[in-house]
Amino acid sequence: SEVFLDKCVWSGSACMAMTGGSSDLTAQGAQWLQGAKEAVMQMTKGEKKDEDESYSPFQSLQKAAVLQECRCFNDREINPRKCISILTKILWLLAQGEKLTALETTEIFFGVTKLLMHKDQQLRRLLYLVLKELKPSPEEVIIVCATLTKDMNSKVDLNRANALRVLGAIIARTDPTMLAQIERHLKQALVDKNCFVAASALVSGIHLMHVNPEVVRRWVNEVQTALASDNPSVQYHALALLHQIKRQDRLAVSKVVASLTRTPLKSPLAHCLLIRFAKAMMEDGGSERDRALFDFLEASLRHRSDMVIYEAATAICSLTSVAQRELSPSITVLQLFLCSPKPACRFSAVRTLNKIAMAHPMAVTPCNMDMEGLINDSNRSIATLAITTLLKTGSESGVERLMKQITSFMSEIADDFKIVVVDAIRAMCLKFPQKHRLLMTFLANVLREEGGFQYKKAIVDTLLSIIARVPEAKEAGLSHLCEFIEDCEFTLLSTQILYLLGVEGPSTQEPSKYIRFIYNRVVLENATVRASAVSALAKFGISIAYLRPSITVLLQRCLYDNDDEVRDRAIFFVTLLTGIDSGATLAGKSAQSLLLEPLPVPLAALEASCREYLAAPTERPLSIDDVTIDAEMLAKMQKEATSKAAAASEDAGPAADAPAPAMAAPAEEADLLSRMPEFVHVGARFTSSKRVPLSEVGTEYEVVCTKHLYASHLILAFQLNNTLEDQLLSSVTVALDLAAVPGLALETHVPCASLPFGQPGTAYACLRRLEGVPVGTIPCTLKFVVKDVDPATGPTDDEPGYEDEYQLEELEVCAADFMKRVAVLDFRAAWESVGNGCEVVETFSLSYNSIRQAMEAVIDFLGMSPCENSAAAPDDVTKLTVLLSGVFLGGMQVFAIVNLRADSNRAVGMRLTVRSSDMTVSQFVASSVA
């Protein structure tokens, strides 16, 4: 444009020169030049604007205007180009989430059906798309079937294929019963010579399989014929539909997979699908893995298609309990992919290796040199995955070199990638705790750089995790965090760090150095941070006597703060600190126990009790011992505990053990149980048993029982799970037949009020111990009121329901339930101190295949704890002595020596010696094994 402007100026000057420069002509020329200049400048601005901003032809498009334009569908002379533009606008509106009313859908639908009479091929293809996106009513579906049936018999293959896909999608979405009308056309199309027609029919069958499987299953012969097609797309879709048809029959699926693994498929997509089916069958087979299928996966690693090779390598690497030697061929293939010129191959390989490194870091170590070359890859996703994988698999000697590379790398990637790197650094620091100084220095440096909240939070969480796991890193970590909060702009992170300083700071070698950093927050920060700083200062004053006067002075300066919360905390803590020396208590508790120890009850329960007391106050002051917790709150807390455990397991990676199916640890659950109004009289908990399943996993109703023993009571907690989607259970209880255990009597039931599908619930039964130590089996029956519900709409209030019951397995109350596992440091000294006055010796012959199995069973029978690491023995040992210790109900110490020897392959001899201060207890414990 500048060149053009220069030419215009030169031309104008030349013209004026030739005409002699008259005044009128000069004025006209100047005006012309000015106009040309402005036009060119406007064009330049427009070009720059188009480059910077994305232009959409449908911007600010209104639904009403489009519906108005749709009237042209009824014109006598159809303009195909105009109709195509309107149909495109309709599709754009639907893609943006615009909703059409039933009347609007009907008007568009009938207009579209009239356009089907036109011969324009581009218009017809667009009509198919619109018909598939619209949701016609059942009456309109009849018209669609009649209209598209003509296209299914058309001589144009393109129209036939599109008509099959559109009609199949509409019938699957609206009226599956109409499938019978077009079944003949679909079956013929499955074996059509045209690959596009056959593939379209197969895709329609896949959609229809979900809504009318009985009809689609009759097409199995035609689908198998299509599976032999030479076309890759037809073969892929035929295999997918065949698996859908036979997926309920595991034997039929295994036969199909076994036959196809022996005959190579021509379609790479079908081969990938077959690999997935083979892997699923291997996983379903449990511990007995099919060797032929594994050989097929290994053979697929030598396929000519990169897609098949990667699918096979991923399948092998993701197998459950795969051995490291079985991973070797897959690792070799993925290592070759790391050097591929294709970014997709490099990314897929390094991502898979990153996942493998969580469970088998040593298997990925040979790829480290190739991954180091990817650190400088132009694709930042590949570089980030390479860095994190190296952090998981690298050796301790290469940490310094790796951190130098990461330092220059961090400034070039986005925060999302930085978080991934920080998480990997945390894992490396926990793996090599000796390198904590280097890694923490790196984290402290990047913490000072610019970044968003999530990135800074990830770094702070990593530092907190290192401080908690590596004791030597506590002092350095707290110093780094103190420097960070001086310039921290995030309130949540500041309060989190201040809380940690209040907990960990008083136990450091020089706690006074943290006071300045904490008090600076009182002076410079917002009210939330100031309140956290006041609490942190108070913890220093409570824990350290010589700092208490100084802390009190600092807190007194906060008594006139502008914020109510800060003032209230300051008054509370000043009063508490000044009363420590005089032995003053608050609510019966000392300052140390009140602030430095966790609350014995949940905070939500304490809040609820305070509200109840304020609503109906009494002369007796509220005490923390009066706080109770109801079953609903307990169930909510258990659900939250389950979610946290699952999240922790997911963060730990696939190598971590899966969380238990129950909701909270037995000890924590039992301590909360004693706060329920129904069970406040049972007293302190003595011990809790392991969870005992009363039904098999996967049955209609899953029930797991935990036994909690108290001084004279036994509370049974039943964790319930409803696996039926079409049922809602209410008033769920477990009925107990105590006739076989005369020493127990039912005191109260706490039913589960509601048990929807997939949401765990809990019911309780409290048994009172009448005399002695009752043992035996208790028949159990699950009783409930069941309501039938529609999974799509949910339960209705007008459904009354009906009573029903479900038989459970018997619950055994054994001697181990009355024994607490308590180990002793010096077993021999404790054994001799008891003496042999109440010693019982018994011999048994146990039917176990190995001494280890027998040892684990005996420990479970007795409910005692192994001492002095005596239970750690190799699998092939022939003789073993196990030292056991425990506390029996009532606080009596019990000791046992178990001598085991292997008599044969199926028998283990045992000599059991039990000592206690009561002969009755010794005899009872010794007889529990029998």
Side-chain angles (χ1 to χ4, degrees):
S1 58
E2 292 178 357
V3 174
F4 173 72
L5 184 61
D6 291 340
K7 288 183 178 179
C8 291
V9 173
W10 180 85
S11 301
S13 302
C15 291
M16 286 187 291
M18 288 188 298
T19 56
S22 64
S23 60
D24 293 340
L25 195 58
T26 303
Q28 292 178 2
Q31 187 177 1
W32 180 83
L33 285 174
Q34 183 66 25
K37 183 177 180 180
E38 291 177 358
V40 172
M41 295 300 293
Q42 190 68 25
M43 290 171 57
T44 306
K45 291 180 180 178
E47 290 176 2
K48 291 183 178 179
K49 183 177 181 181
D50 290 342
E51 290 176 1
D52 297 338
E53 299 180 5
S54 59
Y55 172 72
S56 172
F58 304 119
Q59 194 169 7
S60 68
L61 186 65
Q62 298 295 326
K63 182 178 73 171
V66 176
L67 294 175
Q68 188 74 16
E69 294 178 3
C70 290
R71 295 182 178 181
C72 70
F73 295 163
N74 300 318
D75 294 346
R76 176 177 293 181
E77 295 293 332
I78 299 297
N79 185 344
R81 302 282 76 79
K82 183 178 180 181
C83 293
I84 288 173
S85 175
I86 297 171
L87 292 173
T88 306
K89 294 177 182 178
I90 294 173
L91 289 172
W92 187 85
L93 288 173
L94 294 174
Q96 298 301 311
E98 193 74 44
K99 301 295 182 183
L100 298 177
T101 64
L103 180 60
E104 293 169 347
T105 303
T106 302
E107 291 179 355
I108 295 176
F109 172 76
F110 281 108
V112 167
T113 53
K114 292 179 182 179
L115 295 179
L116 287 170
M117 305 299 295
H118 204 278
K119 302 296 183 182
D120 189 273
Q121 287 298 319
Q122 187 177 358
L123 175 62
R124 179 172 288 272
R125 294 180 67 181
L126 206 57
L127 290 173
Y128 290 133
L129 285 176
V130 174
L131 285 173
K132 192 165 66 171
E133 292 300 323
L134 290 176
K135 295 181 180 178
S137 63
E139 294 79 10
E140 295 166 351
V141 172
I142 300 174
I143 301 175
V144 175
C145 289
T147 306
L148 295 181
T149 301
K150 298 179 183 179
D151 286 354
M152 286 192 292
N153 297 320
S154 172
K155 295 181 180 180
V156 181
D157 293 332
L158 185 64
N159 293 350
R160 290 172 57 205
N162 284 323
L164 287 169
R165 297 190 67 170
V166 172
L167 200 51
I170 292 176
I171 289 177
R173 203 164 48 211
T174 55
D175 190 4
T177 58
M178 297 192 67
L179 176 60
Q181 299 181 16
I182 64 169
E183 181 185 4
R184 178 175 60 85
H185 300 284
L186 285 170
K187 291 181 69 173
Q188 291 175 356
L190 289 173
V191 292
D192 196 273
K193 294 181 180 179
N194 185 277
C195 60
F196 185 36
V197 174
S200 300
L202 290 166
V203 171
S204 298
I206 293 173
H207 292 302
L208 293 166
M209 185 67 194
H210 300 291
V211 294
N212 202 337
E214 294 79 9
V215 175
V216 180
R217 287 194 180 99
R218 298 200 293 259
W219 308 347
V220 63
N221 293 330
E222 287 80 4
V223 175
Q224 288 179 335
T225 303
L227 187 60
S229 172
D230 293 336
N231 184 269
S233 178
V234 174
Q235 195 174 54
Y236 167 69
H237 290 109
L239 179 58
L241 181 55
L242 186 63
H243 181 265
Q244 288 281 340
I245 293 173
K246 298 190 175 185
R247 64 178 179 177
Q248 302 295 339
D249 188 353
R250 189 175 182 276
L251 181 60
V253 173
S254 64
K255 288 181 179 179
V256 171
V257 173
S259 63
L260 292 176
T261 54
R262 292 190 293 268
T263 57
L265 295 170
K266 296 182 180 180
S267 168
L269 285 171
H271 201 127
C272 291
L273 202 58
L274 183 60
I275 289 173
R276 296 187 181 185
F277 296 155
K279 175 184 175 294
M281 286 191 58
M282 295 173 69
E283 296 287 3
D284 292 341
S287 58
E288 297 181 2
R289 187 181 295 166
D290 192 334
R291 188 63 202 177
L293 294 179
F294 190 82
D295 292 341
F296 164 70
L297 295 181
E298 284 193 329
S300 300
L301 295 173
R302 297 181 288 275
H303 199 273
R304 63 179 180 274
S305 171
D306 290 343
M307 177 169 52
V308 175
I309 295 172
Y310 174 70
E311 189 70 34
T314 306
I316 293 175
C317 295
S318 60
L319 284 172
T320 305
S321 66
V322 62
Q324 187 164 329
R325 58 180 179 79
E326 295 174 328
L327 289 173
S328 181
S330 301
I331 299 295
T332 303
V333 168
L334 294 173
Q335 187 174 5
L336 295 175
F337 274 25
L338 293 176
C339 305
S340 172
K342 302 176 183 177
C345 290
R346 299 198 304 274
F347 174 78
S348 57
V350 73
R351 185 179 66 169
T352 305
L353 290 171
N354 186 283
K355 294 179 180 178
I356 301 172
M358 297 179 184
H360 303 280
M362 297 303 298
V364 186
T365 303
C367 306
N368 283 1
M369 292 299 296
D370 297 290
M371 280 188 287
E372 285 188 15
L374 296 178
I375 294 178
N376 299 320
D377 195 282
S378 58
N379 189 312
R380 295 291 87 184
S381 299
I382 297 175
T384 304
L385 286 170
I387 282 286
T388 54
T389 308
L390 286 170
L391 289 172
K392 295 173 185 175
T393 61
S395 61
E396 188 172 2
S397 58
V399 172
E400 289 85 352
R401 177 171 50 86
L402 194 57
M403 295 310 296
K404 289 180 181 178
Q405 291 177 299
I406 296 176
T407 303
S408 59
F409 169 80
M410 290 290 283
S411 59
E412 302 174 3
I413 59 177
D415 281 1
D416 293 341
F417 294 135
K418 290 179 181 178
I419 293 173
V420 177
V421 175
V422 169
D423 291 339
I425 290 175
R426 172 170 52 185
M428 170 170 272
C429 189
L430 299 179
K431 181 180 178 182
F432 305 121
Q434 296 83 2
K435 298 293 183 179
H436 72 270
R437 293 186 181 278
L438 173 66
L439 298 175
M440 291 185 75
T441 302
F442 170 79
L443 292 173
N445 291 334
V446 295
L447 191 59
R448 299 188 188 97
E449 297 175 358
E450 293 294 328
F453 170 73
Q454 295 296 336
Y455 173 49
K456 294 296 182 71
K457 185 177 185 301
I459 299 175
V460 171
D461 290 343
T462 299
L463 289 171
L464 296 181
S465 178
I466 295 173
I467 291 171
R469 301 284 188 88
V470 184
E472 300 84 2
K474 184 168 74 171
E475 299 266 354
L478 292 178
S479 299
H480 291 314
L481 293 175
C482 285
E483 294 176 4
F484 170 64
I485 61 175
E486 289 291 318
D487 299 315
C488 180
E489 57 182 321
F490 303 109
T491 300
L492 180 62
L493 298 182
S494 295
T495 55
Q496 188 177 7
I497 294 171
L498 287 170
Y499 173 79
L500 179 72
L501 289 174
V503 173
E504 299 291 345
S507 60
T508 57
Q509 294 181 355
E510 192 179 350
S512 59
K513 69 179 182 180
Y514 302 109
I515 303 298
R516 175 176 61 86
F517 295 100
I518 299 175
Y519 188 70
N520 284 345
R521 302 306 101 218
V522 176
V523 177
L524 303 173
E525 292 287 354
N526 57 51
T528 304
V529 178
R530 294 202 304 272
S532 299
V534 167
S535 298
L537 286 173
K539 291 178 181 177
F540 277 83
I542 291 172
S543 303
I544 306 171
Y546 71 88
L547 289 178
R548 194 171 300 148
S550 303
I551 298 294
T552 305
V553 172
L554 295 178
L555 292 177
Q556 286 174 343
R557 296 179 182 177
C558 305
L559 296 177
Y560 303 100
D561 193 273
N562 295 329
D563 186 73
D564 295 344
E565 177 70 20
V566 179
R567 288 199 307 271
D568 291 345
R569 291 196 185 194
I571 293 171
F572 173 75
F573 290 128
V574 167
T575 306
L576 207 62
L577 291 176
T578 54
I580 286 180
D581 295 332
S582 61
T585 61
L586 183 63
K589 292 186 175 294
S590 64
Q592 287 82 355
S593 61
L594 195 64
L595 286 183
L596 304 180
E597 296 178 5
L599 283 174
V601 293
L603 196 59
L606 179 60
E607 180 185 1
S609 296
C610 290
R611 292 182 183 276
E612 293 175 2
Y613 184 82
L614 291 175
T618 60
E619 295 182 359
R620 182 171 176 267
L622 178 65
S623 172
I624 201 167
D625 297 328
D626 300 330
V627 177
T628 61
I629 179 171
D630 57 15
E632 184 178 353
M633 186 181 297
L634 180 59
K636 183 180 179 180
M637 294 178 59
Q638 291 170 344
K639 187 175 181 180
E640 292 175 356
T642 305
S643 303
K644 290 180 180 179
S649 175
E650 186 176 345
D651 292 341
D657 296 333
M663 286 154 278
E668 298 175 0
E669 180 183 336
D671 292 338
L672 294 175
L673 279 179
S674 61
R675 291 283 180 175
M676 292 177 61
E678 297 85 354
F679 306 139
V680 291
H681 62 286
V682 298
R685 179 182 61 90
F686 179 71
T687 186
S688 298
S689 72
K690 292 183 178 179
R691 293 178 173 86
V692 181
L694 300 183
S695 64
E696 295 182 0
V697 177
T699 55
E700 296 94 329
Y701 314 110
E702 299 174 350
V703 182
V704 179
C705 178
T706 305
K707 294 167 280 187
H708 304 291
L709 185 66
Y710 298 82
S712 57
H713 291 81
L714 180 65
I715 295 180
L716 305 178
F718 300 97
Q719 282 100 31
L720 314 170
N721 185 28
N722 174 20
T723 62
L724 298 180
E725 192 173 2
D726 57 351
Q727 287 189 2
L728 170 65
L729 308 186
S730 59
S731 303
V732 186
T733 60
V734 178
L736 307 172
D737 184 3
L738 300 176
V741 189
L744 292 175
L746 179 63
E747 191 170 272
T748 182
H749 268 301
V750 179
C752 177
S754 178
L755 190 65
F757 163 74
Q759 298 183 17
T762 310
Y764 303 95
C766 182
L767 308 180
R768 183 161 44 88
R769 188 165 55 88
L770 301 177
E771 57 182 1
V773 183
V775 294
T777 55
I778 303 175
C780 302
T781 305
L782 188 69
K783 293 188 175 182
F784 47 85
V785 176
V786 61
K787 296 180 181 180
D788 296 327
V789 299
D790 185 356
T793 60
T796 56
D797 297 333
D798 55 352
E799 178 68 29
Y802 55 90
E803 294 185 357
D804 200 357
E805 60 183 39
Y806 182 78
Q807 194 65 37
L808 303 174
E809 296 182 10
E810 294 183 339
L811 175 65
E812 183 181 4
V813 180
C814 56
D817 297 331
F818 300 89
M819 184 75 71
K820 181 190 293 187
R821 296 173 182 259
V822 178
V824 294
L825 297 177
D826 191 347
F827 181 85
R828 298 296 177 183
W831 176 266
E832 296 297 334
S833 64
V834 174
N836 59 1
C838 299
E839 181 179 285
V840 176
V841 181
E842 297 283 353
T843 58
F844 302 92
S845 180
L846 308 177
S847 299
Y848 291 98
N849 296 331
S850 67
I851 285 185
R852 174 170 288 278
Q853 293 181 3
M855 174 196 68
E856 294 173 352
V858 170
I859 292 175
D860 286 339
F861 287 146
L862 297 177
M864 304 174 73
S865 176
C867 301
E868 300 180 3
N869 203 28
S870 58
D875 295 333
D876 56 350
V877 67
T878 58
K879 290 184 179 182
L880 182 63
T881 299
V882 185
L883 312 177
L884 302 176
S885 171
V887 176
F888 195 72
L889 180 64
M892 185 177 301
Q893 190 79 41
V894 181
F895 302 97
I897 297 179
V898 182
N899 301 106
L900 300 169
R901 71 176 186 280
D903 291 342
S904 64
N905 291 334
R906 295 184 177 273
V908 175
M910 181 182 74
R911 182 176 185 270
L912 175 63
T913 307
V914 181
R915 285 187 182 183
S916 72
S917 57
D918 190 329
M919 178 59 74
T920 305
V921 173
S922 299
Q923 292 174 348
F924 176 79
V925 173
S927 62
S928 63
V929 179

